[in-house]
Amino acid sequence: MKHLRPALSLFLLFTLITGLIYPLAVTGLAQVLFPWQANGSLLAVDGRPVGSALIGQSFTSPGEFWGRPSATSPYPDNAQASSGSNLGPTNPALIDAVKARIAALKAADPDNHAPIPVDLVTASGSGLDPQISLAAAYYQAPRVARARQLPLADVKALIEKTAHRPWLHLFGTPRVNVVELNLALNALGAKHID
Amino acid sequence: MTTDFFVLLAVFLAALLATVRPLGRYFAWIMEGRPAWKPIAAIEARLLRLCGVDDSEMDWRHYALTLLIFSLIGTLVVYALQRLQVWLPLNPQHFGAVSPDSSFNTAISFVTNTNWQGYAGESTMSYLTQMLGLAVQNFLSAASGIAVAFVLIRAFARHSTQLLGNFWKDMYRITMYALLPISFVLALALVSQGVIQNFSAYQNVTTLEPNSYATPKLDGTGQPIKGTDGQVITETVVVPQQKIAMGPVASQEAIKELGTNGGGFFNANSAHPYENPNALTNFLEMLAVLLIPAALVYTFGYAVGDTRQGWALLAAMVLVFAVAVIFLAAAEHHGNPAMNALGVDQAHTALQSGGNMEGKETRFGIAASVLFDAVTTATSCGAVNSMIDSYTPLGGMVPMALIQLGETIFGGVGSGLTGMLVFALVAVFIGGLMVGRTPEYVGKKVEAFDMKMVSIAVLLMPILVLVGTAFSAVLAAGLAGLANPGAHGFSEMLYSLSSAANNNGSAFAGLSANTPFYNVLLGVAMLLGRFAVIVPILALAGSLAAKRRVPQGGGTMPTHGLLFISLLIGTLLLVGALNFFPAWALGPIVEHLSPLVSH
């Protein structure tokens, strides 16, 4: 019984310190030092939130760059239910899903016979991956250019401008953020109309 | 295999090894109970006195008793918070009470430092439950693991004594002087890179393109309506907005890695961009996972007065780790053969990472995914930044095997060192048998009682894993949870039991484990895997501490050289392989070979 008092009072003390004071202190400092990041890196167009720089969105029209396939339910890129497909490598359901994605890409761009980059037909781990590889972006560039009636060179230049490359061969992969790329594309298109 | 993987591995190991000595000495300072800077020491003394802690040291029985009482309180509180969250504050999404079996499983999961997650965080747990229940246990289960390691270190460092330290004082010093300050700095670093930290309700944004999906049309009673042809009629639902989950993530993420806990705020764990937004956070998180397990090995060598003893154990860990992660990287870089047949490009080029990308994030590619995976399964962290269920068969076998080595390759905070010391005793015992001498380790004779405790600690885990898997494989309730057919389904069950009994917490996550059957089975496995190992280890410590120190003689086997490192690795691999090879043959190995047979 003599152990009960330290057990209960220390439990209370640790709960207060690590469960309340610690997260509240981190929140306070984070909101002062890094408010944009702490609140979700939200992107706004004309003051209206259109998404997060870190959360993927689903694109299916030919004039947009498509992102990683998403296995969230009940619809892709559901940002309150992150999930991968968890399909095993030999599961026929995985092969069927990949075939369907290939078919959709081919239907939107029948003349493109280049090999399809793997990240464009495989579901991401979170279901919310905002990025695709540069290979996947260049693969889609002709389709996007045609649908938007833009010169291919302009679209490629935009990819290059938005691209992230590995830093010192160490941090990251060659990639581009699909939401940011499509936003930049909209801005470019708007300029053309002017 | 690619240069970027090897560069990443080399830089990562170099960064880790640079921290070992300073952090190891810092933990020695914490363990020895030496006073801190005066005002801090005064707070420590006052708070401990206020909590009714006396200054005296405990024998192993009292230490075990206090640890068990403290863990029991934690379990009850985490259970209660989940059941009552619906009536408690900080629940902006109005989540209901968690089911009794899931609450039971999660309470045990977090108190045992396993952090197995049968639930999806962002659709189940209120902010209050995450903070006050789960995150607190992230600290306390880590601290109690380190405390047990302290006891075993003291047992080797001291002689002719019953006294092994004061549990309350150890818990206080570990939490306040190590876990809390490092977490605080790490949490802020993570926020700066995009990990969220707020208490907002989930955010609505209007996406660039509306989302739509087909769903069965329901009648007034909630039954799907069928057309004249008997097919279910579907309707298209348009979702113009995206609702983005929020929460105090960074503070929890930091201790989740540092304490080798691994329980994600979100369902997708560290694959979620809000938990792990880029390659730099990925690097920091990996480093945080290994910091303490690596440092404590140095602390051991330092405390017994011969740092070479610590470096030898660390060398064994690094060697096994490096071989495992290189094998894993090769398997995942190679990709999925079925994809090549479909004309998919899996090559590694300047424009893409390539490889087996199902379940992996673009920003990590293969290199940063597999390194994270090896780090979190070699330790008992169990966080994931890619979905292991979708790894290639041989790739998925690596994390499984790392877990099944008993979480000794770095292992959990504290529990990794104790696991490795137990295997060191097995190794010197085998070495002693070979030459016919009484085995010794760092000045302690290893005798019959010690070997009994060691045997319990070594054998309990494989029994839990194999018997549990066997039950799951023959019971309908076990098979009902499988997401993938055939050998891969068997791997899902084997992995879940291995993860639970070794307090790892990672998963072949396709398994639907949030059922009464798995919640109870895995809950019991986690409970025994933690406490039924800790108690014999504390008993072993009691026995070792009571012994006199034997001076090194001509017949003493040196335990810091290459011979001992080889013997230790050999023992680890032999025990691991003997226990689990037949099970691997039924799961990953047959899955790897099956496409070859059918073609």
Side-chain angles (χ1 to χ4, degrees):
Chain A
M1 273 306 109
K2 70 170 182 156
H3 295 307
L4 216 51
R5 181 176 155 213
L8 288 170
S9 39
L10 267 172
F11 189 85
L12 197 68
L13 178 74
F14 285 134
T15 302
L16 272 175
I17 293 174
T18 64
L20 276 178
I21 297 175
Y22 162 66
L24 290 176
V26 174
T27 308
L29 267 176
Q31 290 290 339
V32 171
L33 295 173
F34 313 107
W36 183 67
Q37 292 95 321
N39 293 315
S41 307
L42 296 183
L43 300 169
V45 170
D46 306 328
R48 190 173 50 94
V50 294
S52 162
L54 294 176
I55 302 292
Q57 297 185 9
S58 172
F59 296 99
T60 52
S61 67
E64 309 273 1
F65 282 94
W66 301 356
R68 293 290 301 278
S70 163
T72 62
S73 80
Y75 49 87
D77 296 278
N78 179 355
Q80 47 184 341
S82 61
S83 170
S85 73
N86 286 313
L87 294 176
T90 55
N91 192 334
L94 172 68
I95 308 304
D96 291 344
V98 171
K99 280 183 179 161
R101 290 164 193 153
I102 293 174
L105 284 163
K106 297 257 182 207
D109 193 7
D111 299 331
N112 192 343
H113 300 296
I116 300 175
V118 62
D119 58 308
L120 211 46
V121 292
T122 47
S124 67
S126 62
L128 300 172
D129 191 343
Q131 294 160 330
I132 53 175
S133 68
L134 286 184
Y138 282 118
Y139 174 86
Q140 300 184 68
R143 184 197 74 218
V144 172
R146 204 164 48 245
R148 293 210 173 214
Q149 296 179 320
L150 288 168
L152 181 56
D154 287 11
V155 175
K156 282 189 171 171
L158 201 62
I159 294 175
E160 209 48 44
K161 215 179 108 192
T162 326
H164 298 273
R165 287 180 194 277
W167 179 61
L168 296 178
H169 275 286
L170 177 62
F171 289 122
T173 54
R175 67 204 184 279
V176 61
N177 185 309
V178 179
V179 179
E180 287 176 353
L181 183 59
N182 283 329
L183 276 173
L185 206 55
N186 290 345
L188 192 72
K191 256 182 244 152
H192 261 259
I193 294 164
D194 299 340
Chain B
M1 294 274 269
T2 61
T3 43
D4 63 343
F5 166 73
F6 283 106
V7 172
L8 179 64
L9 178 62
V11 172
F12 177 70
L13 286 178
L16 175 69
L17 291 176
T19 66
V20 165
R21 196 167 172 274
L23 200 59
R25 292 187 70 141
Y26 184 60
F27 270 100
W29 174 83
I30 291 176
M31 179 177 76
E32 286 161 1
R34 284 202 300 256
W37 183 49
K38 259 196 180 145
I40 305 275
I43 296 174
E44 175 185 329
R46 180 163 298 182
L47 280 178
L48 286 179
R49 209 173 326 120
L50 194 71
C51 291
V53 176
D54 61 32
D55 221 17
S56 60
E57 294 213 346
M58 305 170 175
D59 63 11
W60 79 265
R61 285 189 183 81
H62 275 101
Y63 208 97
L65 183 66
T66 48
L67 186 146
L68 291 176
I69 291 174
F70 199 61
S71 304
L72 180 66
I73 295 173
T75 313
L76 295 175
V77 168
V78 176
Y79 182 87
L81 274 171
Q82 293 175 85
R83 301 287 294 142
L84 303 175
Q85 68 176 11
V86 64
W87 295 289
L88 296 173
L90 283 178
N91 186 2
Q93 301 309 122
H94 309 292
F95 293 133
V98 184
S99 75
D101 57 294
S102 178
S103 302
F104 164 81
N105 181 284
T106 304
I108 289 177
S109 173
F110 277 73
V111 170
T112 57
N113 199 250
T114 311
N115 301 45
W116 170 268
Q117 296 176 285
Y119 61 90
E122 66 264 51
S123 55
T124 312
M125 299 294 181
S126 75
Y127 294 163
L128 188 81
T129 310
Q130 298 258 28
M131 266 167 52
L132 217 55
L134 306 185
V136 169
Q137 283 308 319
N138 280 356
F139 279 98
L140 299 184
S141 67
S144 69
I146 298 171
V148 172
F150 279 2
V151 170
L152 194 55
I153 294 174
R154 289 180 186 129
F156 280 107
R158 297 175 179 184
H159 61 93
S160 319
T161 180
Q162 303 286 328
L163 300 178
L164 287 160
N166 182 307
F167 176 70
W168 309 120
K169 198 171 167 184
D170 285 342
M171 290 294 284
Y172 180 91
R173 291 176 64 95
I174 295 163
T175 308
M176 301 295 281
Y177 299 157
L179 300 179
L180 200 57
I182 303 177
S183 296
F184 191 79
V185 174
L186 181 62
L188 284 177
L190 292 176
V191 177
S192 78
Q193 295 299 309
V195 178
I196 57 174
Q197 180 73 21
N198 61 56
F199 291 96
S200 313
Y202 293 5
Q203 297 280 327
N204 266 318
V205 298
T206 307
T207 51
L208 300 186
E209 192 181 279
N211 218 332
S212 66
Y213 67 103
T215 183
K217 208 168 180 161
L218 303 180
D219 62 19
T221 61
Q223 293 301 311
I225 302 172
K226 287 187 176 160
T228 44
D229 55 354
Q231 292 288 323
V232 174
I233 297 177
T234 59
E235 57 183 344
T236 302
V237 180
V238 177
V239 190
Q241 290 204 317
Q242 193 178 37
K243 199 171 213 183
I244 304 180
M246 292 281 133
V249 177
S251 54
Q252 195 155 331
E253 188 71 20
I255 185 61
K256 160 193 150 188
E257 315 295 358
L258 186 68
T260 64
N261 298 284
F265 197 94
F266 299 113
N267 185 43
N269 207 297
S270 285
H272 197 296
Y274 278 162
E275 285 199 23
N276 194 2
N278 61 40
L280 178 61
T281 57
N282 196 61
F283 192 89
L284 290 177
E285 289 180 14
M286 291 191 296
L287 202 57
V289 172
L290 284 188
L291 273 184
I292 297 178
L296 285 176
V297 183
Y298 184 90
T299 309
F300 163 73
Y302 182 78
V304 299
D306 183 1
T307 48
R308 293 174 306 173
Q309 303 292 342
W311 288 117
L313 298 182
L314 198 60
M317 292 176 176
V318 171
L319 276 174
V320 176
F321 176 79
V323 170
V325 70
I326 290 170
F327 183 88
L328 171 58
E332 294 303 301
H333 266 300
H334 188 255
N336 185 345
M339 300 271 176
N340 291 335
L342 301 173
V344 173
D345 182 10
Q346 300 184 87
H348 178 87
T349 68
L351 296 180
Q352 69 167 7
S353 160
N356 175 29
M357 283 299 286
E358 179 71 23
K360 295 195 181 68
E361 298 280 298
T362 311
R363 61 193 179 281
F364 304 136
I366 300 297
S369 293
V370 296
L371 187 56
F372 190 97
D373 178 54
V375 164
T376 57
T377 51
T379 64
S380 77
C381 180
V384 293
N385 75 352
S386 51
M387 297 302 134
I388 308 174
D389 215 344
S390 299
Y391 274 29
T392 60
L394 293 186
M397 196 171 109
V398 172
M400 194 189 290
L402 282 172
I403 292 173
Q404 288 163 345
L405 288 179
E407 296 297 15
T408 52
I409 307 306
F410 297 107
V413 287
S415 59
L417 175 65
T418 54
M420 198 50 151
L421 286 173
V422 161
F423 267 98
L425 293 182
V426 177
V428 293
F429 180 73
I430 293 173
L433 287 182
M434 285 188 212
V435 294
R437 291 187 66 95
T438 311
E440 297 164 19
Y441 186 63
V442 289
K444 299 282 180 168
K445 270 202 166 70
V446 183
E447 293 165 306
F449 176 81
D450 311 314
M451 284 317 291
K452 281 181 195 157
M453 295 301 115
V454 164
S455 306
I456 296 174
V458 169
L459 292 178
L460 182 77
M461 179 277 286
I463 293 172
L464 288 173
V465 173
L466 295 172
V467 172
T469 307
F471 268 107
S472 308
V474 294
L475 294 176
L479 295 171
L482 301 187
N484 286 283
H488 197 86
F490 180 79
S491 296
E492 288 180 342
M493 292 185 287
L494 178 62
Y495 197 98
S496 69
L497 266 303
S498 304
S499 178
N502 282 292
N503 300 134
N504 179 284
S506 82
F508 271 34
L511 184 76
S512 302
N514 197 357
T515 62
F517 173 77
Y518 276 112
N519 276 333
V520 172
L521 176 73
L522 298 175
V524 171
M526 289 188 279
L527 203 56
L528 293 175
R530 175 82 169 181
F531 297 110
V533 171
I534 279 183
V535 173
I537 283 180
L538 290 175
L540 170 69
S543 155
L544 289 172
K547 291 177 205 278
R548 270 204 300 247
R549 186 166 299 164
V550 280
Q552 256 190 1
T556 308
M557 182 173 72
T559 50
H560 56 261
L562 204 57
L563 179 70
F564 175 72
I565 295 173
S566 317
L567 183 64
L568 179 58
I569 293 177
T571 308
L572 261 176
L573 296 184
L574 194 69
V575 172
L578 282 177
N579 283 330
F580 291 107
F581 192 82
W584 296 339
L586 292 175
I589 294 179
V590 80
E591 190 191 5
H592 176 72
L593 295 175
S594 58
L596 306 177
V597 176
S598 58
H599 285 188

